[in-house]
Amino acid sequence: MSTDLPTRGRPSGLTGAELIAVARDVFLQHGYRGASMDEVAKRARISKASLYREHASKSALYAAVVHHWTLSGRDAMRPALDRLRASEDIRAGLLELAETMQAGILSPPVVAMRRLVTAEAREQAEVAANYLEESWNTNIQNLADALSALAAEGRLRLADPRAAAEQFTWLVIGAPLNARMLGDERKPGAVDGAVDLFLAGYGSDG
């Protein structure tokens, strides 16, 4: 007499984005040098041969981890930028944007990845350069585009939107990011001063 009860087999291993997530955890926990393909394969429940078929070396896996991270976060600010452009009160819109930027850029996962890439920037220079371009520079350009649109409406006075975007970003997150990178987990101060200083230079007289 047969039964239709399912049999419990060995859990399937992880591939693709799930494998990348496991590898990221290993790199963040142990650093690049301390991480091993053995550990990644073990946590992903796959053989080392399977891991090497998907990522030919530890450096290739590390590059994939960083690339995947930048792709997942490079448009994270777009909703906040859309709200800024729609805001009737530009100061209030910039304040909300500044608070959103601090919450995102200073969040533990983002800071942890920045520390990892920074620590390996000399040895993994191409990965660091791609991280800078795909993450930081892309978000700066998105902000510059939003500020340029506001300037076109006469709500800001800008000669160089890209420079203004960089200045706004560093006014808002420069000091707290530096502190966070060095282990200071205290809550950053209010963003009012940064926004007011920005508007003192770029605010419309109209």
Side-chain angles (χ1 to χ4, degrees):
M1 178 177 179
S2 62
T3 66
D4 295 326
L5 294 176
T7 59
R8 186 184 298 274
R10 182 179 179 182
S12 59
L14 303 180
T15 60
E18 292 179 320
L19 172 59
I20 291 292
V22 168
R24 182 174 64 247
D25 288 343
V26 173
F27 282 121
L28 290 176
Q29 180 178 352
H30 299 291
Y32 178 81
R33 297 185 184 184
S36 71
M37 297 292 270
D38 283 325
E39 179 69 12
V40 174
K42 178 181 177 181
R43 294 194 191 186
R45 304 189 305 277
I46 59 177
S47 67
K48 281 183 66 178
S50 296
L51 176 57
Y52 277 109
R53 278 195 297 271
E54 196 160 341
H55 301 281
S57 65
K58 186 169 80 167
S59 62
L61 177 60
Y62 173 70
V65 164
V66 176
H67 179 63
H68 186 271
W69 176 262
T70 60
L71 289 184
S72 66
R74 68 180 181 180
D75 289 326
M77 298 303 299
R78 283 197 180 276
L81 294 175
D82 290 341
R83 290 194 299 272
L84 170 64
R85 293 182 60 176
S87 177
E88 296 182 0
D89 183 335
I90 191 153
R91 183 177 185 274
L94 287 170
L95 285 171
E96 182 194 354
L97 174 63
E99 290 170 351
T100 301
M101 290 172 66
Q102 282 195 348
I105 296 171
L106 302 179
S107 66
V110 174
V111 172
M113 182 60 71
R114 177 177 286 271
R115 285 185 179 133
L116 174 65
V117 175
T118 300
E120 296 302 321
R122 187 177 297 274
E123 297 298 325
Q124 303 285 337
E126 184 175 353
V127 174
N130 289 337
Y131 172 85
L132 177 64
E133 183 60 32
E134 294 175 350
S135 178
W136 187 267
N137 288 345
T138 296
N139 282 307
I140 291 290
Q141 187 58 53
N142 289 342
L143 175 54
D145 292 342
L147 296 179
S148 181
L150 293 172
E153 297 169 0
R155 303 176 69 188
L156 291 173
R157 295 179 291 107
L158 300 177
D160 186 342
R162 175 79 183 205
E166 290 175 341
Q167 290 161 7
F168 181 80
T169 299
W170 284 110
L171 282 170
V172 170
I173 61 94
L177 178 60
N178 183 59
R180 196 62 54 90
M181 290 289 289
L182 296 173
D184 187 342
E185 301 296 328
R186 289 176 294 180
K187 183 178 179 180
V191 297
D192 301 62
V195 169
D196 288 340
L197 183 58
F198 180 80
L199 286 174
Y202 294 114
S204 172
D205 295 329

